[in-house]
Amino acid sequence: MKTILFCLFVFISMLLPCNSSRAYGQSVEKITAIKNPVAQLEAALQLPVKFEGDTLKLKNALAPLLEMADKKRSVALKWAYYMRMVDGLSIAYDRINPASERYYRLAEQLLRVHPNIELEMLGCAREGYYNFIYRRVKEAFPFFLRANDLKSKVNIRKIPLVVKHYQFMASFYSYIGDQANAVVYLEEALPFTKSSSRERVDLINSIAVYLGKDSLNHQAFTYLNRAMTEAELAKDSVWIGIISGNLADHAWRSGNREHAIALVKKNIDLSMRYNERKDAMRANLNLANWYIELKEWKLAERYVLACESLMEDKPYFLKYKMELAKSKSGIMRGLGRSGEELKQLHLYLMLKDSLEKRMNDKEIQKMLWQRESEKYNRTIQATEERRIRTKRMYQFIGIVLSLIFAIVVLLVNKSKIKIKMRNTLLERDQLALAYEKQLLDHELLMLRNSLNESTDTIRQNDVTIQQLREELVKISETDPAYMTQVTDNLNALLQYHIMTDERWQKFKQVFNKVYPAYLTQMRQTYPKVTENDLKILALLKLDLSNASMSELLCVSVEAVRKAKQRLKKKLEQTQE
């Protein structure tokens, strides 16, 4: 049965120009005229990108698409530009390369700013297949997992080139042995193919192949017959031959050997006529094995030699080379050529060892896929649990805040009633309340306003402190109780006014925002300055008086003067 090499090359075929008259080959100007956004995106995703390795020519060719995307502010077209740059660079380098991956990251960043779930899914599918086709299978896992997770959330009708993108997914899932999921992707894509088209025939035949790999032979036979009907309606001789070969396998297993041989010969004839060498090679080998089973040694030898002439020296022919060596050893034994039989058996065992090593690698990759899938599912589950916990936490906080608000409202109402009843008593406390309010206002100003406003506050505090001190002198003898209250308020204001280490750090943050790099530059220019020197420099920059500095730093005015003199000497010494 056909192993669907097409699925392994569909990524490359999507990168190369195709013959679709609907979109591919259209100029950027014509793409602009397309009104349907999905059709417009499909046209952009099929612009030519093969320029014989000339990356500069590639970039110049796609530049009009980027210009149009920017002009129209179209996220989809800009994303398409990034994807085509990836495709073109993949062709140019024919390997994984940093330039392609950079454009994948640009596309990812674009969708992070402008979310689009359909484009996100396609980006993951394309990057996953990009890694897969260049044999970085493990690196492809996260992208396919994410794409598969998004599949249930997307609108399939908004997906451009849905058939090819779903073929990407199906090909990968078939590779890791999940034929059921591969079939699901192709069946969902099937309604988007045209009746009696080569694309539709290929899709139905691929479904049959995947079902056959899962030993669902009856269902596979049904799909093969559907594929043959479509191929005959399309008059596609190549696919008629390929499907004939697949039907031949089914006929042989069913015991209808003459019909099976006739079908596979038809496959060989049509494949050779239309230069489908790989399919003809497989069909010849298949027919040779059947003749070995029938002990028709000469006929078997004839078809084995035909198969051998069509083989190429490429990695994916290893399996067929191994089968060929085994078939040739059987034929040599039947013809009595023991020396040739041993030679072919030796070659068969060597090829088998090589293939088993590759199969072991494939099994390891499948195990890694299973582990990555479980890890991804656990991550998704943990994320959902965190989301639920966060939601519940916010609900709890909302309830608590509502209760606090209700309590506050009740307390405020109660306070209002008490205030009305005690107006006369509160009059003598108004001054203290005014001081407290003033302190709160100063605190808010320090938090909300710029450094200039903070400086004004410092100066205003100096005036207030001076007034309080003068008031203390006036009332010291007349009202001792009131004097105690004013003294307390003055001490509180002084305590607030003093620049502690903690307040200095906050002050320095604000100062650095208003005068960027001033203090840093001073420290670099004058390495001998200390943290206290920096305080003096900052206060000098704000043009504060010595009196204000003394209040802030909780030192005498004379100490401020001496500190300034010492600082001046340090600066002069550094300059010398």
Side-chain angles (χ1 to χ4, degrees):
M1 184 177 282
K2 183 175 180 289
T3 58
I4 308 303
L5 286 173
F6 176 80
C7 287
L8 293 177
F9 295 108
V10 67
F11 179 70
I12 301 299
S13 70
M14 187 171 182
L15 306 186
L16 300 176
C18 65
N19 296 322
S20 172
S21 60
R22 180 167 61 89
Y24 192 74
Q26 295 186 50
S27 65
V28 172
E29 291 75 14
K30 290 182 179 179
I31 292 174
T32 308
I34 301 173
K35 301 301 180 185
N36 184 294
V38 176
Q40 187 181 67
L41 190 53
E42 287 181 343
L45 286 172
Q46 294 183 100
L47 286 170
V49 292
K50 185 180 180 183
F51 296 101
E52 304 300 331
D54 190 339
T55 56
L56 181 60
K57 192 172 182 180
L58 165 71
K59 194 167 185 179
N60 290 336
L62 291 177
L65 177 61
L66 179 60
E67 292 172 6
M68 183 178 73
D70 289 336
K71 183 178 179 181
K72 289 179 159 291
R73 295 184 179 179
S74 172
V75 173
L77 289 179
K78 194 165 189 177
W79 178 86
Y81 166 77
Y82 290 147
M83 291 299 106
R84 289 315 274 163
M85 283 299 297
V86 167
D87 298 341
L89 291 166
S90 298
I91 295 172
Y93 294 107
D94 193 28
R95 57 181 169 80
I96 296 289
N97 63 87
S100 293
E101 295 190 337
R102 185 175 77 86
Y103 279 102
Y104 272 130
R105 299 289 74 78
L106 288 172
E108 186 180 285
Q109 291 168 16
L110 178 68
L111 296 183
R112 196 176 294 126
V113 178
H114 306 283
N116 184 309
I117 196 168
E118 284 79 21
L119 297 186
E120 183 183 354
M121 179 193 171
L122 294 195
C124 290
R126 292 172 76 99
E127 189 166 2
Y129 207 79
Y130 165 79
N131 282 281
F132 172 57
I133 206 70
Y134 288 116
R135 293 293 179 260
R136 289 207 315 182
V137 179
K138 183 180 177 182
E139 287 79 358
F141 289 169
F143 298 107
F144 282 114
L145 283 167
R146 179 59 179 162
N148 191 59
D149 185 48
L150 292 172
K151 179 166 131 339
S152 61
K153 304 170 186 176
V154 301
N155 182 348
I156 193 171
R157 297 189 179 278
K158 292 183 179 181
I159 295 179
L161 302 175
V162 62
V163 175
K164 287 191 175 182
H165 286 114
Y166 274 38
Q167 280 178 318
F168 288 177
M169 300 295 295
S171 178
F172 175 77
Y173 276 104
S174 176
Y175 174 81
I176 62 170
D178 190 352
Q179 312 301 333
N181 209 14
V183 169
V184 168
Y185 272 99
L186 295 188
E187 286 182 335
E188 289 187 11
L190 194 56
F192 295 89
T193 58
K194 290 183 179 180
S195 179
S196 305
S197 65
R198 173 166 283 200
E199 185 179 58
R200 185 175 181 84
V201 174
D202 172 59
L203 216 60
I204 297 172
N205 183 71
S206 297
I207 293 172
V209 171
Y210 296 152
L211 290 170
K213 288 182 179 180
D214 260 354
S215 300
L216 301 173
N217 295 322
H218 178 71
Q219 294 180 43
F221 182 66
T222 301
Y223 274 96
L224 282 173
N225 284 326
R226 282 181 62 185
M228 180 61 81
T229 301
E230 293 285 346
E232 289 172 346
L233 288 172
K235 298 180 181 179
D236 192 326
S237 299
V238 173
W239 273 106
I240 289 172
I242 293 171
I243 297 166
S244 294
N246 291 340
L247 284 169
D249 291 334
H250 182 82
W252 185 267
R253 286 194 301 269
S254 301
N256 194 349
R257 296 184 173 184
E258 290 184 6
H259 182 56
I261 290 172
L263 284 171
V264 82
K265 285 182 176 179
K266 180 180 179 181
N267 183 12
I268 294 170
D269 178 57
L270 290 171
S271 295
M272 291 301 295
R273 189 185 307 172
Y274 294 99
N275 201 32
E276 290 290 327
R277 294 173 60 86
K278 287 185 279 294
D279 194 64
M281 178 271 297
R282 288 191 298 271
N284 274 292
L285 181 58
N286 205 17
L287 187 54
N289 287 329
W290 290 350
Y291 277 126
I292 291 172
E293 193 173 335
L294 295 173
K295 301 187 186 309
E296 296 281 351
W297 309 115
K298 289 293 183 180
L299 286 172
E301 185 178 25
R302 170 187 164 189
Y303 286 103
V304 154
L305 292 174
C307 168
E308 190 171 23
S309 68
L310 294 168
M311 282 199 175
E312 299 177 32
D313 189 19
K314 293 185 177 179
Y316 48 79
F317 279 87
L318 180 61
K319 173 187 174 184
Y320 300 109
K321 287 182 179 179
M322 181 196 73
E323 292 179 3
L324 179 67
K326 183 179 179 182
S327 299
K328 288 177 76 173
S329 70
I331 293 169
M332 295 303 107
R333 184 174 62 253
L335 293 174
R337 303 175 192 170
S338 57
E340 283 293 318
E341 177 189 359
L342 290 174
K343 180 180 177 182
Q344 293 300 324
L345 275 174
H346 179 68
L347 178 60
Y348 164 72
L349 292 173
M350 287 178 56
L351 293 170
K352 185 180 178 184
D353 287 341
S354 298
L355 188 63
E356 284 179 350
K357 182 179 178 182
R358 291 193 179 186
M359 293 302 292
N360 287 337
D361 291 341
K362 188 174 179 180
E363 289 301 318
I364 291 171
Q365 289 171 349
K366 288 181 182 179
M367 292 171 62
L368 288 173
W369 167 258
Q370 184 65 29
R371 190 180 68 183
E372 289 295 322
S373 298
E374 292 172 356
K375 181 180 177 182
Y376 181 82
N377 291 330
R378 286 196 301 270
T379 302
I380 293 295
Q381 184 178 359
T383 302
E384 180 62 18
E385 289 174 355
R386 283 198 300 271
R387 187 189 68 80
I388 293 172
R389 285 198 301 270
T390 303
K391 182 180 177 181
R392 288 175 178 171
M393 182 185 71
Y394 282 129
Q395 289 174 341
F396 175 76
I397 291 173
I399 293 171
V400 170
L401 289 176
S402 298
L403 290 173
I404 291 173
F405 179 76
I407 293 170
V408 168
V409 170
L410 290 173
L411 290 175
V412 168
N413 289 333
K414 185 177 180 181
S415 297
K416 286 181 179 179
I417 294 171
K418 289 182 178 180
I419 289 170
K420 289 179 182 179
M421 295 174 62
R422 292 165 25 187
N423 276 336
T424 54
L425 297 175
L426 293 176
E427 287 180 359
R428 69 181 184 182
D429 297 329
Q430 286 180 350
L431 182 59
L433 291 173
Y435 287 143
E436 290 176 4
K437 184 177 183 302
Q438 187 177 25
L439 291 174
L440 291 173
D441 288 343
H442 289 320
E443 186 69 26
L444 289 172
L445 285 172
M446 290 294 290
L447 294 172
R448 295 177 180 172
N449 296 335
S450 65
L451 187 61
N452 289 334
E453 292 172 332
S454 298
T455 306
D456 291 341
T457 301
I458 291 169
R459 289 171 177 154
Q460 185 179 352
N461 282 348
D462 287 341
V463 174
T464 303
I465 290 167
Q466 188 61 34
Q467 289 175 349
L468 287 173
R469 285 175 172 163
E470 290 174 358
E471 190 172 349
L472 271 175
V473 173
K474 291 178 182 178
I475 65 172
S476 59
E477 297 179 358
T478 57
D479 193 348
Y482 183 60
M483 174 185 159
T484 301
Q485 184 177 7
V486 173
T487 302
D488 291 342
N489 289 330
L490 177 59
N491 290 335
L493 185 58
L494 285 170
Q495 186 65 30
Y496 168 78
H497 195 58
I498 293 170
M499 184 178 286
T500 61
D501 289 342
E502 181 181 357
R503 286 175 181 158
W504 160 244
Q505 293 301 324
K506 293 180 180 178
F507 169 83
K508 188 163 67 170
Q509 290 176 4
V510 177
F511 183 89
N512 285 334
K513 290 179 181 178
V514 179
Y515 300 105
Y518 176 76
L519 294 179
T520 303
Q521 186 176 0
M522 284 294 181
R523 189 180 284 277
Q524 291 174 350
T525 307
Y526 308 107
K528 293 182 180 181
V529 298
T530 65
E531 191 70 15
N532 287 332
D533 293 335
L534 289 178
K535 291 181 183 179
I536 298 295
L537 285 169
L539 297 177
L540 284 170
K541 182 71 173 176
L542 298 178
D543 198 24
L544 290 180
S545 65
N546 290 346
S548 296
M549 291 185 194
S550 71
E551 294 291 351
L552 279 171
L553 302 175
C554 197
V555 296
S556 67
V557 174
E558 183 61 27
V560 172
R561 290 197 188 97
K562 289 181 179 180
K564 289 168 68 174
Q565 290 172 359
R566 286 194 298 271
L567 176 59
K568 184 178 180 181
K569 288 181 180 180
K570 285 183 182 180
L571 302 183
E572 290 172 350
Q573 288 172 0
T574 304
Q575 288 177 343
E576 292 173 0

